Amino acid sequence: EEEERVRPLRDRLEQSLLDSCPGCRVNGHREKRIPNTLNVSFRFLEGEALLVLLDQYGICASTGSACTAGSVEPSHVLRAMGVPSDWIQGAVRFSLSRYNTEEEIRFVSENVPLIVQRLQGLSALGKLADAQQYRHSDSKPRDRVGARR
């Protein structure tokens, strides 16, 4: 009964974050995972920075399991799963229970994108990646402002 109630909440939160947060990915198999846990990564962001801002909104989350609390090393589990390094540091885990409500999921879904957007604006790695992507784009030098012909 609990699984039938919690899984749809997790799935709604997951879809909401994927739809509203650029640079977001789910870590784990689509179906073969426990129903109450959502682990997502935000590319080029730091999980600890996300946690600080989530806490300011009253949103509880973690950057790893209890057995790795206090570790500054990237998750060995995410590494073993093949999660790319530019995603691992931005991993956050949301754990749900039968006590969570639709309203709480909606609150998290509305506020996490604001937090992610704020941090992406501050992310030096994200800005560097954007600059590199621009340099490697298909645009020709003559199309750029200030380029010589």
Side-chain angles (χ1 to χ4, degrees):
E1 180 184 320
E2 183 172 343
E3 180 177 326
E4 292 173 14
R5 179 172 147 38
V6 174
R7 184 185 307 272
L9 292 175
R10 181 207 62 198
D11 292 346
R12 273 194 283 288
L13 177 59
E14 175 182 310
Q15 194 58 55
S16 172
L17 296 180
L18 290 173
D19 290 345
S20 62
C21 298
C24 177
R25 65 170 273 162
V26 174
N27 299 313
H29 193 273
R30 180 83 178 128
E31 289 139 21
K32 296 178 184 176
R33 55 191 167 134
I34 57 177
N36 70 318
T37 304
L38 173 62
N39 189 301
V40 291
S41 286
F42 301 94
R43 191 170 189 211
F44 300 124
L45 297 183
E46 290 289 330
E48 293 298 326
L50 286 159
L51 290 184
V52 168
L53 293 180
L54 288 169
D55 184 57
Q56 290 178 359
Y57 282 80
I59 299 170
C60 297
S62 65
T63 55
S65 64
C67 59
T68 60
S71 173
V72 294
E73 292 297 314
S75 168
H76 66 280
V77 173
L78 294 178
R79 276 189 283 159
M81 290 170 52
V83 175
S85 59
D86 52 345
W87 293 88
I88 289 178
Q89 292 295 346
V92 175
R93 187 179 77 178
F94 296 93
S95 298
L96 307 176
S97 78
R98 64 179 177 223
Y99 301 110
N100 289 111
T101 65
E102 291 280 348
E103 293 77 27
E104 289 170 326
I105 297 303
R106 192 170 18 263
F107 181 81
V108 173
S109 296
E110 291 169 357
N111 288 290
V112 169
L114 301 174
I115 292 167
V116 168
Q117 186 177 36
R118 179 176 170 190
L119 291 174
Q120 285 174 333
L122 301 172
S123 171
L125 286 175
K127 290 177 184 178
L128 179 62
D130 288 344
Q132 288 176 342
Q133 184 177 10
Y134 176 78
R135 280 198 304 269
H136 292 87
S137 70
D138 293 330
S139 63
K140 296 179 173 49
R142 68 178 178 275
D143 297 329
R144 295 189 191 139
V145 174
R148 296 180 189 190
R149 293 187 185 193

